Amino acid sequence: MSQSTRFAVSLLLLAELARARPHSMTSAALAESAGAHPVVVRRLLGRLARAGLTEAKAGKDGGARLALAPKRISLRAVYAAVENGALISRGTPEGGADGAEQTLAPAINRACRKAEKAFFKALEGMTLKDVMAGAADAKEEKAA
């Protein structure tokens, strides 16, 4: 089972756009800085733009830029813009021994919902600015 990297790559893209403010960046430049394929970057930028987090300008001097200040971009909004479906799969194997699936499924679903709720609450309380500040702190610690 593979995990999606859309959220992490989107955060890298948004951080690069924040660093470039107020200027725009091309998808090619963003792809190079994030180490991602340009097609993936364009798809993610499209999702982020539909969510109102980025905006694009076409043409020779075009590119993408942040639509909001980093302190106004919650990680929850980024996640919602680029990820699909439930965070945790609620599927359980069929034909569990002695009906174990029927008795455990409701408890598993409750545990999954509780974990998702905590995850989304944590994301809501963090912004792109927080991520960038954390990166600056880590860079300072590494240099010391």
Side-chain angles (χ1 to χ4, degrees), residues 52-134:
L53 304 176
T54 63
E55 53 193 23
K57 178 181 172 190
K60 180 182 170 206
D61 296 323
R65 66 180 186 170
L66 291 183
L68 302 168
K71 69 182 179 183
R72 295 191 55 218
I73 298 176
S74 78
L75 299 195
R76 175 65 175 108
V78 177
Y79 189 91
V82 300
E83 294 293 351
N84 302 320
L87 176 64
I88 302 170
S89 173
R90 295 203 180 45
T92 55
E94 290 189 31
D98 299 327
E101 177 186 351
Q102 291 177 349
T103 58
L104 290 176
I108 291 169
N109 286 334
R110 278 192 302 277
C112 290
R113 281 193 304 275
K114 186 175 180 179
E116 282 184 342
K117 186 176 179 179
F119 175 74
F120 291 133
K121 184 176 181 180
L123 288 184
E124 191 62 46
M126 291 184 277
T127 66
L128 179 60
K129 182 179 178 181
D130 297 330
V131 171
M132 296 179 70

